[in-house]
Amino acid sequence: MDPIKKALWCIESRFASELSLDEIAWVSGVSRFHLSRAFGVATGRSVMRYVRERRLSEAARQLASGAPDILQVALDWGYGSHEAFTRAFREQFGITPEELRARRDLSSLALVEPLSMHAASRTPLAEPRFVTGKPLLIAGFSGRFSVDNTQGIPLLWQRISPHFGHIPGQKGHVAYGASYNCEDDGTFDYIAGAEVSSFGNLPEEFTRLSVPEQSYAVFEHSGHVTGIKQTFESIWRDWLPASGREPAMGVTLELMDERFDGATGNGVVEIWLPLKP
């Protein structure tokens, strides 16, 4: 059973009570970092966001059924005050608990239903090669993203494209995408750029990322780049648990060389996944 299905089972069987990321990761048999990354890639949301959305959806059902005491509903679903519950409820549904109870109609609410625990489609993966990556300096443009909002990443590649080949100190013609500073809530930084020999002569608007020496498993994604999410999902959901290896909290690299056609988005992208020794 893969860790995502274990996590979903844990959440769906326990989310009415206190539940932490550490507990869900323990039940899933992987580290909290592994679970956070795998769950985010597979579902497009963080683990605890899904827990929160499921709790509020069930609270909404109670309110639409005319629950007499809103504070008791709040307490039942893990909120310590009426104010905290109302704030979270309005953020998710756009109305207050009082409004929903008076309306008694769920049709306008985007309730979050349980995610399927059945087997998802698999993307076949060739066995990776294992390498020790040399220290790397990457210069480019970056942004802060989340697993449920990555739409801005292609814009970074548009921004860097006119500079590619002319970045001060650029080494070679390999393009690098790098994900780093990954948090449990599903947020991360992403840079699109190239390797440089130093940061000394870079224009001020460029982001600078130093990547230390690191052990990696290197996978190849073939086809159109829009399918890379499925390759990442298979790595985190299938390959890692089966391999017995543990991911490191380092920089995950996407490497595009002459085998990738930036004009069409087709070709080979190497995914360099950092591993613990």
Side-chain angles (χ1 to χ4, degrees):
M1 195 179 205
D2 71 52
I4 305 306
K5 289 195 286 186
K6 289 180 181 179
L8 289 171
W9 173 84
C10 177
I11 293 166
E12 291 303 324
S13 61
R14 306 185 194 184
F15 72 83
S17 57
E18 285 191 27
L19 190 61
S20 68
L21 180 59
D22 285 328
E23 180 180 355
I24 300 169
W26 179 78
V27 171
S28 303
V30 294
S31 69
R32 57 184 287 153
F33 173 70
H34 182 162
L35 179 64
S36 295
R37 291 287 286 163
F39 197 92
V41 168
T43 70
R45 46 168 58 90
S46 70
V47 178
M48 298 313 294
R49 175 187 162 186
Y50 176 68
V51 172
R52 181 174 66 254
E53 290 176 341
R54 288 289 294 121
R55 285 173 170 163
L56 289 170
S57 294
E58 295 307 313
R61 288 191 169 93
Q62 285 183 286
L63 292 167
S65 298
D69 188 344
I70 292 178
L71 178 58
Q72 189 57 54
V73 173
L75 295 172
D76 288 346
W77 293 104
Y79 290 87
S81 69
H82 187 290
E83 292 76 16
F85 177 62
T86 297
R87 183 167 55 252
F89 197 89
R90 186 188 289 114
E91 286 176 359
Q92 182 158 329
F93 298 120
I95 62 173
T96 66
E98 289 82 2
E99 289 171 327
L100 177 60
R101 187 175 63 177
R103 186 185 301 178
R104 297 204 178 194
D105 180 11
L106 292 168
S107 62
S108 65
L109 270 62
L111 298 179
V112 175
E113 305 294 349
L115 293 173
S116 173
M117 285 179 266
H118 296 299
S121 59
R122 258 55 175 174
T123 297
L125 281 179
E127 275 300 302
R129 70 182 193 273
F130 297 94
V131 303
T132 299
K134 62 182 176 66
L136 189 66
L137 301 179
I138 299 176
F141 296 116
S142 68
R144 186 75 177 165
F145 300 94
S146 64
V147 291
D148 61 337
N149 184 12
T150 59
Q151 290 91 329
I153 290 178
L155 292 176
L156 297 179
W157 288 107
Q158 286 190 46
R159 285 186 65 197
I160 197 64
S161 180
H163 299 275
F164 203 78
H166 309 287
I167 301 171
Q170 181 173 335
K171 296 175 65 176
H173 298 281
V174 175
Y176 287 90
S179 303
Y180 56 105
N181 294 337
C182 301
E183 302 291 345
D184 291 341
D185 64 1
T187 57
F188 61 95
D189 288 315
Y190 185 93
I191 184 173
E195 182 181 6
V196 294
S197 56
S198 75
F199 294 144
N201 297 315
L202 288 173
E204 192 172 307
E205 67 267 25
F206 275 74
T207 298
R208 299 147 172 82
L209 176 66
S210 297
V211 183
E213 181 176 295
Q214 175 70 57
S215 297
Y216 295 94
V218 180
F219 301 85
E220 289 190 0
H221 167 78
S222 299
H224 199 272
V225 70
T226 53
I228 200 169
K229 176 184 181 296
Q230 286 71 40
T231 301
F232 270 110
E233 186 175 341
S234 292
I235 292 169
W236 285 95
R237 183 191 60 204
D238 303 327
W239 183 83
L240 267 171
S243 72
R245 303 296 297 267
E246 285 194 53
M249 294 180 67
V251 179
T252 298
L253 298 171
E254 299 158 22
L255 183 154
M256 287 148 278
D257 56 20
E258 69 280 355
R259 296 170 295 171
F260 180 76
D261 185 346
T264 65
N266 286 305
V268 174
V269 178
E270 289 189 351
I271 297 170
W272 290 47
L273 180 75
L275 297 175
K276 290 183 179 179

